[in-house]
Amino acid sequence: MELFANWHYPTAITVGDSCISQIGEKCLSLSMSKVMVVTDPGLADLPMMAHLLSYCRESGVATAVFCDIQANPTGDNVGMGIQAFNEGGFDGVIAFGGGSSLDAGKAIALMAKQSISLWQAEDVNDNWKQIDESNMVPVIAVPTTAGTGAEVGRASVITDTDGEYHIKRLIFHPKMIPAAVLLDPRLTVTLSPQMTAATGLDALSHNLEAFCAPYYHPMAEGIAIEAIRLIKTYLPVAFEDGSNIEARTQMLVASSMGATSFQRGLGGMHALAHSLGALYNKHHGLLNAILMPYVLNKNRAEIEEGITRLARYLELDYPGFDSFLEWVLLFRARLDIPHSLEEIGISLEDARLVGDMSVKDAAAAGNPVNLTANDYSELFSDAVLGRF
């Protein structure tokens, strides 16, 4: 392992029950007086949105809502958001919702005042250097799910629908991270058990792949290992009792820790999940949850020592790789996560295409084992059929 790295850490974060009431003063502290709230259609008419807008109005902050966002946001969604932002004369963005809304909001704020196209900001080579930092729009992020950690991320995952096949692209800039974050557990108590499980296991996948990534980042490794402990302890509680504020708080924090730790890297779970999300428009967290044991098993030769340390920290019986894999399988089952991709309607039909897409995904670079396109096709097939 090369002992050389560039490390970045999150932004200003406020955590606590009903801290959403601070949204107006957060806007004013960032000189945001007319903001566009980027969210998804399912949240736009809920009481929590009305409360957010009310708190802004009480502080004298004007608002309008943009909610033309898909579950896997597309370049067209971002383009429409940019048009709405500029036509409305806004000076800031509140990204409110799950990972899709946060990613879309960050991308809109990044690109609204730029002279280059969205895809020119893809995380390839040094594309980010083309961005005019002086024209970046400030963002306040308010997650309503505990999974993606997009509120502390320096990138957005946006689907390119222009080609023959849909492709998820990573839009990146080192200063793309929101200027302020509000983690309010009260906003997550109405999540269904199914969504709680899928988003929570997404957070687990972020921390787990970061922990296993072959790069030098001891701080990220430490954050990941504690976040995994929090998820082990509190996700079942949130799943079984959605009104438990302690569990909801700890899961929001673990989610943010995941996106902090994956500065160290992601891996095969995300390479495959990005490809499958683009092809089949399935929930990203659910895909990671299903793929998790198959990718872990594929990487065993390179991660066994680290996973054994992790198993000791989690106080598993007979700590080792086998006990950790057994815990993952039992944990998924306890949260009603399907064991195979076939159970959510994905067949073997596109195995070769999935392999070709996954090996090219940015997350593949962080996988502990250097997997080929054929390897990814085989992994996909195993996950479809539910076999190790």
Side-chain angles (χ1 to χ4, degrees):
M1 180 185 296
E2 183 182 11
L3 304 185
F4 181 86
N6 293 297
W7 296 335
H8 300 267
Y9 270 80
T11 188
I13 302 174
T14 299
V15 185
D17 188 2
S18 301
C19 69
I20 189 63
S21 63
Q22 300 179 25
I23 188 68
E25 62 189 77
K26 295 292 184 184
C27 288
L28 295 177
S29 71
L30 295 166
S31 300
M32 295 163 58
S33 61
K34 187 178 183 182
V35 300
M36 186 168 83
V37 181
V38 179
T39 191
D40 67 67
L43 290 176
D45 295 323
L46 293 184
M48 67 175 71
M49 175 61 73
H51 293 153
L52 173 80
L53 299 179
S54 175
Y55 291 133
C56 287
R57 285 195 301 271
E58 290 172 6
S59 297
V61 177
T63 59
V65 176
F66 175 79
C67 62
D68 199 355
I69 301 295
Q70 297 178 206
N72 290 291
T74 67
D76 289 340
N77 295 155
V78 173
M80 288 185 288
I82 289 171
Q83 182 178 351
F85 184 92
N86 289 323
E87 289 179 351
F90 298 101
D91 55 17
V93 166
I94 296 174
F96 183 82
S100 298
S101 298
L102 301 187
D103 275 357
K106 291 192 301 179
I108 290 166
L110 177 70
M111 300 305 301
K113 302 298 182 181
Q114 302 298 327
S115 60
I116 65 172
S117 71
L118 176 67
W119 305 131
Q120 287 177 290
E122 185 181 5
D123 188 17
V124 176
N125 300 320
D126 288 333
N127 276 356
W128 64 270
K129 292 182 178 179
Q130 301 178 77
I131 296 291
D132 182 351
E133 293 181 12
S134 66
N135 282 333
M136 293 174 64
V137 174
V139 178
I140 298 174
V142 185
T144 60
T145 63
T148 70
E151 65 274 6
V152 295
R154 300 170 297 151
S156 291
V157 180
I158 306 297
T159 303
D160 181 355
T161 60
D162 292 340
E164 182 180 0
Y165 301 108
H166 293 183
I167 299 173
K168 287 198 172 186
R169 301 192 187 278
L170 201 66
I171 308 303
F172 168 82
H173 190 279
K175 296 184 178 180
M176 195 173 173
I177 190 167
V181 173
L182 294 175
L183 300 182
D184 187 344
R186 188 66 55 181
L187 300 177
T188 68
V189 297
T190 58
L191 281 175
S192 68
Q194 294 75 21
M195 188 59 67
T196 297
T199 53
L201 283 166
D202 192 24
L204 177 60
S205 73
H206 292 157
N207 286 289
L208 185 53
E209 289 213 294
F211 178 78
C212 295
Y215 301 120
Y216 180 59
H217 203 326
M219 290 186 286
E221 184 176 357
I223 290 169
I225 199 171
E226 172 61 6
I228 293 168
R229 186 193 69 82
L230 290 174
I231 293 166
K232 174 178 179 284
T233 302
Y234 290 103
L235 180 53
V237 178
F239 176 75
E240 293 165 8
D241 177 11
S243 64
N244 188 302
I245 292 296
E246 180 183 8
R248 292 297 194 183
T249 301
Q250 297 287 25
M251 284 306 302
L252 274 171
V253 170
S255 175
S256 289
M257 291 169 76
T260 303
S261 66
F262 73 52
Q263 292 178 20
R264 193 182 189 211
L266 289 169
M269 292 178 214
H270 279 78
L272 281 163
H274 288 158
S275 302
L276 297 177
L279 288 172
Y280 303 111
N281 199 31
K282 300 294 185 179
H283 187 272
H284 176 72
L286 179 60
L287 290 170
N288 275 322
I290 295 172
L291 292 164
M292 189 175 295
Y294 305 98
V295 176
L296 283 170
N297 198 50
K298 191 75 166 180
N299 286 323
R300 178 170 185 157
E302 294 296 324
I303 65 175
E304 188 158 10
E305 180 181 350
I307 290 294
T308 299
R309 284 191 286 111
L310 175 59
R312 290 196 189 100
Y313 188 75
L314 297 178
E315 299 181 326
L316 300 184
D317 294 334
Y318 311 107
F321 184 90
D322 289 332
S323 65
F324 183 79
L325 187 62
E326 181 181 10
W327 171 74
V328 168
L329 292 169
L330 292 173
F331 198 62
R332 292 191 320 162
R334 180 178 179 181
L335 299 170
D336 293 334
I337 297 296
H339 181 62
S340 71
L341 293 173
E342 188 174 42
E343 294 172 63
I344 62 169
I346 297 177
S347 71
L348 293 173
E349 181 180 359
D350 295 318
R352 179 167 293 183
L353 175 60
V354 170
D356 290 340
M357 292 174 66
S358 299
V359 78
K360 297 173 185 176
D361 188 86
N367 198 66
V369 175
N370 186 21
L371 300 178
T372 65
N374 284 338
D375 291 328
Y376 277 112
S377 293
E378 291 176 4
L379 260 175
F380 168 70
S381 298
D382 289 341
V384 170
L385 299 174
R387 68 188 182 194
F388 288 113

